[in-house]
Amino acid sequence: MTWMLRLAPALLALIFTCHAASAATLVKIKNSGYSEVRIAFDGGQAMTVAPGSVAQATLNPGDHTADCHFDGSYDGCNLATNFTLGEPKELELNLRPTLTLQHAVQLTQAGMMRAETSRDIAWATNTLDVQGGASDCADYNSGKLAGVSRRLKGRMAVGNLSLATRTLCGEAKAVVATAMDGAPLYFDPRFLIFRDARGRQILVTQ
């Protein structure tokens, strides 16, 4: 009986260790970008992942922070700075570089990037201000928004970009301004694709 009592603390420690190990989530980190990415969780030591490579980390359930940067003139990556992890057994992160909308427009103005309308359909307005209730601006095909909107073909080049603020039925948002056929047009960024000098699509955040 005495030897069992002596073993109890060791057995309990082993049980808690196994439980902690089983509760941790294996995080697979793939670099789908075009340069090395450095990522650190919760202020820990950063790991460097080469393009096309996969690294691994373990995280416990709960709130976490991430610090993610690609080499080059990028502003970040497609991973939130703060996130909450449940209890999945495995998590895959497919990291890609991102630019802020302002930076993307600046690089396009400098000729280092180009922009085109989204693949399927794109809408733009010819005004920066539409007054009305939420239903008036719910759809580009109807309401007051329909009267000031233009539907454009997909994959169409868009140049001479600048930034503006558009207010649709009380909601203000940064948009991309340009002109076609002498008329001003204002795009929600979701209707545009930005590509670098090699034609690779770069994610853009507000």
Side-chain angles (χ1 to χ4, degrees), residues 2-98:
T2 303
W3 64 271
M4 292 182 66
L5 292 174
R6 290 176 180 173
L7 282 177
L11 289 172
L12 287 172
L14 179 61
I15 290 171
F16 284 128
T17 300
C18 292
H19 176 74
S22 62
T25 293
L26 175 65
V27 182
K28 294 184 177 180
I29 306 160
K30 181 179 180 181
N31 181 354
S32 295
Y34 321 115
S35 60
E36 288 187 342
V37 63
R38 287 183 296 278
I39 182 168
F41 296 105
D42 304 323
Q45 184 175 359
M47 64 180 75
T48 300
V49 188
S53 298
V54 177
Q56 294 184 351
T58 55
L59 293 174
N60 291 320
D63 296 332
H64 296 278
T65 61
D67 185 13
C68 179
H69 295 283
F70 278 86
D71 285 350
S73 59
Y74 303 110
D75 298 313
C77 72
N78 58 327
L79 178 63
T81 302
N82 298 281
F83 64 96
T84 300
L85 187 64
E87 297 188 1
K89 293 181 179 179
E90 188 172 297
L91 177 66
E92 293 187 3
L93 299 179
N94 191 8
L95 300 183
R96 296 176 61 189
T98 62

Side-chain angles (χ1 to χ4, degrees), residues 92-108:
E92 293 187 3
L93 299 179
N94 191 8
L95 300 183
R96 296 176 61 189
T98 62
L99 292 171
T100 64
L101 179 61
Q102 180 180 10
H103 195 183
V105 169
Q106 288 173 345
L107 292 175
T108 304

